[in-house]
Amino acid sequence: MENKRKVGGRYEQIAAEYLRQNGYRIIEQNFFTRIGEIDIVAREKGYLCFVEVKYRTGYAYGYAAEAVNYAKQRTICRVATLYMKARRLPQTTPVRFDVVSIQGEEIRLFRNAFPAR
C-alpha cells in the first residue's frame, strides 16, 4: 500500500493540471512550514490563490471538501501569511483561498472557498 504522502502527491499533481486547464498559473507546490503546509500556490485573475487539495476514493467518509474545517482553514491562513512574508509579497496583494475536491473520478473547484481567518 502506498504511503499517504505519495498518494497525496499524485492527487496534488492531478489538481495542479486541472487548475492549469482552468486558467491558473502554478507558482509553487507543497510550501512547508513547521505549522502546516499549502498544497498549491497559484495566480488566477489578479489573485494569489492558496489552494488546498482534498481527495476521497468514495463517499463513505463524506465529501472531500468537508475535510477543510475551521481549524484547517485557520492553519492554511497562518501558513499563507508566512508564505507572503517569506516571498516578500505586499500585504495588499489580493489573496483567495480555494479548494480542489477530488472524489473518486470527480474533480470540483471551489473558488473563494473560505475567508481569511
Side-chain angles (χ1 to χ4, degrees), residues 33-110:
T33 71
R34 61 181 177 74
I35 61 168
E37 158 196 23
I38 293 191
D39 295 328
I40 299 172
V41 181
R43 290 238 178 230
E44 198 243 1
K45 296 182 180 170
Y47 285 93
L48 181 64
C49 303
F50 297 99
V51 184
E52 178 70 8
V53 178
K54 286 293 175 193
Y55 68 93
R56 296 265 164 81
T57 54
Y59 294 92
Y61 297 101
Y63 292 97
E66 291 174 332
V68 188
N69 58 25
Y70 183 81
K72 182 71 174 169
Q73 291 171 19
R74 282 192 44 153
T75 299
I76 292 167
C77 292
R78 289 174 63 203
V79 176
T81 299
L82 294 173
Y83 176 88
M84 292 182 68
K85 287 180 182 172
R87 300 297 182 261
R88 295 191 166 111
L89 296 170
Q91 288 183 340
T92 56
T93 302
V95 300
R96 197 174 70 207
F97 299 95
D98 296 353
V99 173
V100 172
S101 167
I102 302 173
Q103 194 100 25
E105 298 296 313
E106 180 187 9
I107 301 175
R108 292 186 65 193
L109 168 61
F110 297 91

Side-chain angles (χ1 to χ4, degrees), residues 4-59:
K4 285 180 87 173
R5 184 170 301 286
K6 193 172 183 181
V7 172
R10 188 170 70 238
Y11 284 103
E12 286 168 12
Q13 285 306 117
I14 291 167
E17 187 53 39
Y18 180 83
L19 291 170
R20 281 187 195 94
Q21 292 170 1
N22 283 278
Y24 285 67
R25 185 169 52 87
I26 306 301
I27 296 170
E28 195 166 335
Q29 289 182 247
N30 300 313
F31 176 77
F32 283 99
T33 71
R34 61 181 177 74
I35 61 168
E37 158 196 23
I38 293 191
D39 295 328
I40 299 172
V41 181
R43 290 238 178 230
E44 198 243 1
K45 296 182 180 170
Y47 285 93
L48 181 64
C49 303
F50 297 99
V51 184
E52 178 70 8
V53 178
K54 286 293 175 193
Y55 68 93
R56 296 265 164 81
T57 54
Y59 294 92

